[in-house]
Amino acid sequence: MVCRWFGICPLRRLEEKGKISDKWKKEYCSSENNWLNCKRYQFEEKGKYHPDNMLPNGEIDEKLE
Ligand code: SF4
């Protein structure tokens, strides 16, 4: 299984553009239930704003657009 947001998560676009490696996908998005620990996932569940350049660990990478 993968995270319920897998298909529409902005991280997919960043991966396709080669701006981030697939390590986040492996560690969170498609890792057994670990998406529950993803800050993006948690914010999404709470309806809390989070920018597209926020990574699963909560870090905001200003270099990413
Ligand atoms: S970054 Fe987080 S919210 Fe997005 S697909 Fe991966 S686990 Fe889900």
Side-chain angles (χ1 to χ4, degrees):
M1 263 178 77
V2 296
C3 170
R4 63 189 291 202
W5 307 113
F6 190 94
I8 58 165
C9 187
L11 264 64
R12 301 292 85 76
R13 178 171 49 81
L14 296 170
E15 287 160 2
E16 276 168 27
K17 285 185 169 176
K19 295 199 170 181
I20 57 170
S21 74
D22 63 358
K23 86 169 191 146
W24 300 108
K25 179 161 64 180
K26 285 184 187 158
E27 281 181 26
Y28 288 89
C29 319
S30 60
S31 180
E32 189 68 24
N33 287 326
N34 202 35
W35 57 82
L36 297 172
N37 295 316
C38 170
K39 295 286 184 214
R40 297 194 60 85
Y41 182 97
Q42 293 168 358
F43 276 40
E44 193 67 41
E45 292 291 293
K46 291 182 189 150
K48 223 170 135 183
Y49 170 76
H50 49 290
D52 283 359
N53 59 354
M54 190 176 97
L55 295 165
N57 64 357
E59 177 194 338
I60 293 177
D61 188 337
E62 301 290 352
K63 295 190 301 298
L64 299 174
E65 299 173 37

